[in-house]
Structure formats: structure tokens, C-alpha cells
Amino acid sequence: MKLPRFFRRDAAAGAQPRPRAGARAGRRQSKAAMQAVRYATSPLLASQTPPWRSKFVVAAIGLGFCVLIGRAAYIQIVGTDFYLKQGESRYARTLELPASRGRILDRNGLILASSLPAPSIWAIPKDLEADRAQRRQLARLLDMAPAELDKRLSTSPNFVWLKRQVDDETARKVAGLKLKGVHQLKEYKRQYPENEAAAHLVGFTNIEDRGQEGIELAFQQDLAGRNGSRRVLKDRLGRIVEDAGDGAQPVDGRDIALSIDSRIQGHAYQRIRDAVKFHKAKAGSVVVLDVRTGEVLALANVPSYTPGDRRNLTGAQLRNRALTDTFEPGSTMKPFIIGHALETGLVRPQTVIATAPGRITIAGSTISDSHPHGDLTVAEVIQKSSNVGTVKLAMQMTPKEMWELFRAIGLGQRPDLHFPGVVSGRLRPHKSWRPIEQATMSYGYGLSASLFQLAQAYTVFARDGELIPATLIKQSDPPAGDGVRGVRVFSPATATAVRQMLRMVTEPGGTAPQAQAVGYSTGGKTGTAHKQEGRGYAGNKYRAWFVGIAPIEHPRIVVAVMVDEPSNGQYFGGLVAGPVFSEVVQQTLVTLGVPPDIPVRPRIVVQAEEESF
């Protein structure tokens, strides 16, 4: 029997033929069975779903939408400025236009410090495209090892300084390499033409051009000026496309004109440097004051340093000893005690004081002269630097009188000088003085002062009894007549009388004939003191100094010289500091155009009187 065509293919495949009507009936029965099964009675879904789970899912989805909406609102409304700036930072830059730092000048307009353009090399490491050979060449131009260059480039992907303030030749050669990611910035480098001679006075700046010491620090705001800015658009290679908005022009710093005379400063430095070397001393200082205006003409210290090269710089080199170091002033205080005795009518210049046998006992302690002098006039007490004579006068004063005298000449007070590190010294209240302390203070032990304080104190004798203020800034309008006014300490008659006594110190029979100057009359007072060491005094360590005036009849300058720890066989102030005083006085007065006031003849140096200290 021949099969119909409907079954032929199934039969050929071995399938069982099934009528078409039967298939439709089977599908209808299956559908009816499925409809008869309820969801809740399904064996696969027999466990019921907790209601909180579905609520939690819905809440989490809702919260997520709220967070997204809040974030979108923050970006579009609240944080708009931040995202605009972030976008702008990809193409806009603000370039700083550095201001030129002001110059420091001497009183004659000569440059003590100035700024010169000096390019700085920087890089964006992530943009740097350089092979090994090019990196080695770059490192060689920047005077560094290749490993050091690699280390710097690895510190940050966005910015790193390669070398600050290079010379123009180096900058030109680096630019010639044409390395992508290496850039240059215009900066300024400080130059100090006077080098060591004026280092302690002028000071120096750091790599960021901020003052660190001296005048550079004291007048930082005036010298620094104000940097400008320029807003520009850059392409992806860092090239400037166009300006964006108005910029601010830099305002250069103000020049500072000092009272210092470079010629006097240089000569004073050379003389104290030579003295320190000759006497194998630890250090030395010189201060020169113009007594008409109170201007500081020179302030030099040894050891010194080169401001432009501060590698291996030590604290001993850095200290401005004339202003920062204090010491017991020794016999330089005796003229003030004598001056007060004259001022109060206690004695006259020719009053005789018995100093024999060369020593005096106060409260169980003995004070001695270097050797017995016998009877001395008040003037000779200064000339011979007698401790005994000075103590006898001082003990006739009250402690309060002496304390007020010392305060009047500036001891125990910080000098009114716009300069960092200036010290006040030490002067204890008079109520705590014991008799032996009052006695030793009369010849400079038990109190302390800086060399600058001593120089300023001696303007009392140079200015007919007035203590004048000192300044490091040039006075644009010098006072007419006798000059700047000061605080009166002594009468003109007393100051003149003490000046004549100081003159005797530099004449034969005095303690400092080495302080004479060719063509100019001089006067002053020597000082020699044991250095303090722990709670006592070192037996073989001294400070030697000389503070004096020139010319004596019509004073123009005060010069103070200090030599610390001379160790070449001489240590008295007249022998160590006196010659420096003489040379500085002569050069300074010639430079100022002061005519000689005594016949110019070869100086004959006689044996100095041994000083009591």
C-alpha cells in the first residue's frame, strides 16, 4: 500500500507516523493541564518570598536614582566653578612674571647687591621624549650624573626642577637639544660685587629670592617688589596659542641706599682680616660711625664668607659679631665713670687720687693694677688705665647713679637699628648689686655689651655730651650745623675734658701710642679682658679692643676695633687693636676729605704702658 506524501519523510527517517488531527488534540490537552496548575501550588516555588525583600530592592533602586540625581545636581549647579576650572586647566595657564628684586647700594650709589636674569630649567617628565644618549647629554650640560637626572625625573610626572638659575650659555645649549618636555623659566640671580667685605652687612637670599640674612632680610618687603601674571591658552604640546584676559605687570622692588661707604668698608675689612691673621686670632670686628649724622660708614667682621657661594657655610662665618656677640667691655667703661665724677663735681681733671700700693680690697676681694702707679691725677687714671683709681671714684657713687649712667649710654638696651640679630647685652638692676660688683662694673666686668654698642656710646664724647642714634640707611637730607640731635648725657665741658684725657692714651706714657694716625689727632681707650669660660675666666684667652675718636678737637668719626683670642704673644688692646684703629682712622678721614689737624710727620711708636685689666 502506497503511503501518502505527508508520511513519507517520517517513515524514511524511521519515525512513527501520527495523524495530523491527533497532534492537534495532544497540544490542546497539554495547554489545558498547564492552565489547571496554580502558581502557589507549584512544587518549584513552594517557599514563599518575604515581603521585605521586594521592598528593599525597590528602595535600593530608588536610593540609587536619588544619588545619581543629587550628583548630577551638584555637578551642574553647586560645583560648577570647580569643574569649569578643571576643564580650563587642560588648556589655560597662568604664567608668573617675576619682579626684579631691588638693588642694595652704598652711600655713593655703588652696587652692593643686584639681580641679573638667570634661566631655570624644568621638565614635565611624562611628556619627555629623549633617548639614552640625549639624557646623558642633558645631564652633562646641567653638571649632574645621569643617575641623578633620572632620579629627579622620577619624583613627579607633571613637574620637576632640573636646575635653577643657570648661566645663559647653558640655557642656550639646553634649548639647542630641542627635547620635548624640557622647558625654561626666566628667574633672577643675586650678585654681590663686594663679596666677603660686606657679606655680614648685606646678607643674602635663598634660591626663591627671599632674604635670609642682613639687609636682604631686614628689608625683604621693600626689596622683593610684586610679581605679575599673564593668562594664556596652550595647545596639547604646551605651546602658547593666545593671551586670555588681562594680565598684571610686575612691580620691581625698591632700591635701598645704605650709609656704608664701600671704600671705607673694604679697607676696614682688609685691616681687621690682616690683624686676625697676624695675631692668630679667632675673630675680629670693626665699626666706623660718622658722629655728625650717626651713619654707619663701615661694619666688618672676620671670618666672613662669599654670599654668592654658601657651600659649607658655618655659623662662625655667618655671625655678624659686631652686632650679635656681647662681651665684658673692660677698661673701655672707665671714661664714663670719670665723666660722671666730673659732671657731678666729685673731682676735677687735676684732682690727685692715691692708687698706691696698686691694689684695693672691697668686701674681702682684692682689685689690682698691672703695677703700682702711686699718686695719679684723674686724667692719668685714664691714661694709665688704673683699676684702683677708677674703683675709688665709683665707690663714691650710688649703685643707682652708675646704673642710670650705663642706661643713658645705651647699655642693656637693644640699639634702635633695623637689622636682624641685634642684641641688647646685659645690665642687671642696681638693687641687686653687691659692693664688689659695683666696683668691678666700673672697669667693665659684670656687664656685657656688643662692639656696636660701645661705638655708639663713645659718640657721647665725640658729640659734646650727646648720645646720637645710629643708622645703616643713608640720610638723604643730612642735618645742618652740628648734625643730628641726640640725648644729652654730659655737658659739653665734661665731654671736652674727657676727650683730652682720651688723647693722652695715644700719646707717650699711655696704653695705646700705636693708635696714633699720621696727620690726625686721635684719642680713645684700650680694653683687655679675660674671656669667660664656664662660671669663671680662662687664664690664657683674651679679647682685645680699642674704641676711639678722631680728630680730637673737631671729632668726625668713632672707630671701634675688637680682636677675639689673639694667640701670637700679644693680647693687650693697645698692641693688638690699636694699630688697626690707626690705619682705619687715617684711611677713613682721607676718604671723607677731612683735612689733617696736626703736622704730617712720620709716626714714632714708643713703648706702651701696660694696661690693667
Side-chain angles (χ1 to χ4, degrees):
M1 177 177 156
K2 186 177 180 181
L3 293 174
R5 285 181 302 172
F6 178 81
F7 294 103
R8 285 178 186 172
R9 187 174 56 186
D10 290 341
Q16 293 297 327
R18 187 172 53 180
R20 186 178 298 178
R24 284 197 295 269
R27 285 197 294 270
R28 283 195 298 268
Q29 291 176 358
S30 176
K31 183 176 180 181
M34 290 176 61
Q35 290 177 349
V37 177
R38 298 183 62 184
Y39 177 82
T41 61
S42 172
L44 299 177
L45 300 174
S47 60
Q48 296 183 355
T49 303
W52 64 265
R53 182 180 297 177
S54 58
K55 294 179 181 179
F56 173 77
V57 172
V58 173
I61 294 173
L63 180 62
F65 274 108
C66 291
V67 170
L68 293 175
I69 293 172
R71 181 62 176 169
Y74 176 81
I75 293 174
Q76 297 295 327
I77 300 173
V78 180
T80 304
D81 293 340
F82 171 78
Y83 288 99
L84 286 176
K85 289 179 180 179
Q86 288 296 309
E88 188 180 3
S89 67
R90 270 55 177 180
Y91 60 85
R93 296 287 189 277
T94 299
L95 303 180
E96 186 178 78
L97 304 178
S100 178
R101 190 174 178 85
R103 300 174 300 171
I104 300 176
L105 311 171
D106 83 338
R107 64 182 304 103
N108 301 311
L110 297 178
I111 295 176
L112 299 177
S114 64
S115 295
L116 297 177
S120 291
I121 312 299
W122 61 282
I124 303 176
K126 67 181 181 181
D127 294 341
L128 181 61
E129 294 181 0
D131 56 29
R132 205 65 214 163
Q134 289 174 320
R135 289 199 177 203
R136 285 196 299 269
Q137 192 174 4
L138 177 61
R140 180 178 57 81
L141 290 176
L142 299 179
D143 193 24
M144 63 176 65
E148 182 182 356
L149 176 62
D150 292 340
K151 182 178 180 181
R152 291 196 182 190
L153 291 171
S154 65
T155 55
S156 170
N158 297 314
F159 177 88
V160 63
W161 286 112
L162 298 183
K163 193 163 187 180
R164 305 286 294 274
Q165 300 177 355
V166 301
D167 56 72
D168 291 337
E169 180 66 15
T170 299
R172 184 184 62 80
K173 291 181 178 179
V174 170
L177 296 178
K178 297 181 180 180
L179 297 178
K180 182 183 176 182
V182 176
H183 308 274
Q184 297 187 16
L185 176 68
K186 179 183 177 182
E187 292 191 304
Y188 290 94
K189 186 175 183 179
R190 210 64 168 159
Q191 301 289 327
Y192 301 94
E194 294 299 313
N195 290 325
E196 295 181 353
H200 294 101
L201 185 65
V202 176
F204 56 86
T205 61
N206 62 9
I207 195 68
E208 302 295 341
D209 218 18
R210 293 189 60 84
Q212 301 297 295
E213 290 289 340
I215 295 296
E216 294 277 29
L217 174 60
F219 291 88
Q220 165 63 23
Q221 291 187 342
D222 297 297
L223 290 166
R226 186 173 66 251
N227 291 338
S229 62
R230 177 188 175 196
R231 191 72 173 166
V232 299
L233 300 181
K234 290 188 174 185
D235 63 13
R236 67 183 184 86
L237 300 178
R239 297 173 299 191
I240 295 176
V241 177
E242 61 177 325
D243 289 334
D246 297 330
Q249 293 300 314
V251 178
D252 291 341
R254 180 171 67 88
D255 292 346
I256 301 295
L258 302 184
S259 60
I260 299 299
D261 189 307
S262 293
R263 299 165 296 177
I264 299 172
Q265 175 75 20
H267 184 78
Y269 174 74
Q270 292 171 9
R271 299 288 75 79
I272 191 63
R273 180 192 62 190
D274 294 345
V276 168
K277 183 178 180 180
F278 177 79
H279 293 285
K280 299 180 180 179
K282 182 178 179 181
S285 300
V286 178
V287 177
V288 182
L289 289 178
D290 187 332
V291 301
R292 295 190 312 173
T293 62
E295 293 173 304
V296 180
L297 300 178
L299 194 156
N301 297 276
V302 174
S304 188
Y305 61 95
T306 302
D309 183 9
R310 298 184 295 278
R311 289 173 296 182
N312 303 318
L313 183 63
T314 65
Q317 293 173 283
L318 191 61
R319 288 209 317 272
N320 191 335
R321 297 169 185 269
L323 294 171
T324 64
D325 288 16
T326 60
F327 51 86
E328 292 178 313
S331 296
T332 57
M333 299 307 299
K334 293 175 181 176
F336 297 102
I337 298 297
I338 300 299
H340 187 70
L342 295 173
E343 185 76 9
T344 57
L346 190 62
V347 293
R348 291 180 297 174
Q350 299 307 316
T351 300
V352 176
I353 300 176
T355 65
R359 58 182 179 274
I360 185 173
T361 300
I362 304 290
S365 299
T366 301
I367 297 171
S368 303
D369 284 338
S370 57
H371 57 270
H373 295 294
D375 291 342
L376 297 175
T377 65
V378 171
E380 288 173 333
V381 169
I382 294 294
Q383 183 187 29
K384 307 296 184 182
S385 192
S386 171
N387 290 342
V388 174
T390 305
V391 169
K392 283 192 171 183
L393 292 178
M395 297 311 290
Q396 297 181 56
M397 306 173 189
T398 65
K400 184 179 180 181
E401 281 183 88
M402 282 181 56
W403 183 85
E404 289 176 344
L405 169 64
F406 292 158
R407 291 284 293 183
I409 61 175
L411 300 188
Q413 305 168 76
R414 187 182 186 276
D416 187 16
L417 205 65
H418 190 44
F419 197 88
V422 179
V423 294
S424 61
R426 182 172 65 94
L427 178 64
R428 293 188 296 107
H430 61 86
K431 292 182 179 180
S432 65
W433 292 6
R434 295 176 298 160
I436 186 59
E437 291 174 328
Q438 180 180 351
T440 58
M441 285 185 189
S442 69
Y443 59 93
Y445 282 86
L447 67 160
S448 66
S450 67
L451 187 67
F452 186 87
Q453 284 178 299
L454 283 181
Q456 187 177 15
Y458 267 67
T459 62
V460 167
F461 304 124
R463 283 297 305 271
D464 290 336
E466 287 184 338
L467 179 76
I468 62 172
T471 179
L472 285 166
I473 303 302
K474 180 184 178 182
Q475 302 301 293
S476 56
D477 298 314
D482 293 334
V484 67
R485 310 313 303 176
V487 178
R488 182 158 297 284
V489 179
F490 298 135
S491 66
T494 297
T496 301
V498 175
R499 274 207 312 271
Q500 296 306 316
M501 298 178 192
L502 296 176
R503 184 172 189 169
M504 294 171 62
V505 173
T506 64
E507 294 176 342
T511 58
Q514 293 86 352
Q516 297 173 13
V518 176
Y520 299 99
S521 59
T522 61
K525 187 68 190 73
T526 56
T528 309
H530 288 285
K531 289 189 66 173
Q532 286 183 308
E533 196 170 74
R535 295 187 176 183
Y537 292 90
N540 58 351
K541 293 182 180 179
Y542 305 88
R543 278 194 180 95
W545 53 88
F546 188 92
V547 187
I549 302 164
I552 283 295
E553 297 300 333
H554 301 285
R556 179 62 191 276
I557 59 173
V558 168
V559 177
V561 181
M562 187 274 293
V563 179
D564 187 13
E565 289 190 32
S567 58
N568 196 23
Q570 297 177 334
Y571 52 85
F572 285 110
L575 297 174
V576 175
V580 179
F581 170 88
S582 171
E583 294 170 339
V584 172
V585 161
Q586 188 167 335
Q587 181 66 31
T588 300
L589 294 178
V590 169
T591 301
L592 295 176
V594 177
D597 67 328
I598 60 175
V600 178
R601 57 176 181 269
R603 185 178 66 177
I604 301 176
V605 179
V606 298
Q607 181 66 35
E609 178 78 15
E610 188 172 298
E611 181 186 351
S612 299
F613 63 95

